[in-house]
Amino acid sequence: MNLEEQQRIEWLCGKARAAIMFHLDRGEFDAMVRYYTEDIVFVRLGKTLTGRGAILAAMANRPAVVTRHLHSTTHFVEVNSDTAEAYTYNATYSGAGDEVSGVASFPHQQPHVFEFHDTYRRVGDEWLVARRVADMVFKPPDG
């Protein structure tokens, strides 16, 4: 694989990762799960969800809060023609309120910081998240 193809794959994976967080933060869960493979395995804080349906069921029980997931420092450790693997740092802010009323209150001194270990898989012409392990790195003292 040449550098141009590798960079294209990394960009497409990043686009899927950003779309997941965009739709999650807006409560558009049906749109969000479209960027996961049908058989996604999502491990967050020791709990494993398998499949899009399990993720949608978990989202139905999500508290009504405003969130923003800020991604940075993505590092790809493997890229080939059918799969890619990357680590991304994520700072998650959440607070009371809703999108209609404007600015949400943020009670914490700092965000929760996660490390996402993602495996992407080519599905047709798209790159989707096939596995995500989300480990917390930092949390606020009150969170």
Side-chain angles (χ1 to χ4, degrees), residues 66-134:
V66 176
T67 60
R68 287 299 180 268
H69 293 77
L70 308 179
H71 287 203
S72 69
T73 319
T74 296
H75 177 70
F76 283 85
V77 294
E78 181 181 344
V79 177
N80 63 52
S81 60
D82 294 315
T83 62
E85 180 181 355
Y87 289 86
T88 299
Y89 299 132
N90 171 271
T92 302
Y93 291 85
S94 62
D98 59 61
E99 295 296 328
V100 175
S101 65
V103 178
S105 65
F106 180 67
H108 304 297
Q109 297 174 2
Q110 61 191 28
H112 292 82
V113 177
F114 288 86
E115 178 179 275
F116 291 164
H117 179 194
D118 291 337
T119 302
Y120 299 86
R121 185 183 322 140
R122 182 191 302 265
V123 178
D125 293 334
E126 295 183 298
W127 284 83
L128 305 176
V129 177
R131 179 175 177 82
R132 169 167 282 172
V133 177

Side-chain angles (χ1 to χ4, degrees), residues 5 21 25 32 42 74 84 86 94 96 101 117 119 127 135-137 139:
E5 180 61 16
M21 294 302 118
D25 287 342
M32 177 193 73
F42 189 130
T74 296
S94 62
S101 65
H117 179 194
T119 302
W127 284 83
D135 290 321
M136 188 177 293
V137 178
K139 71 176 185 170

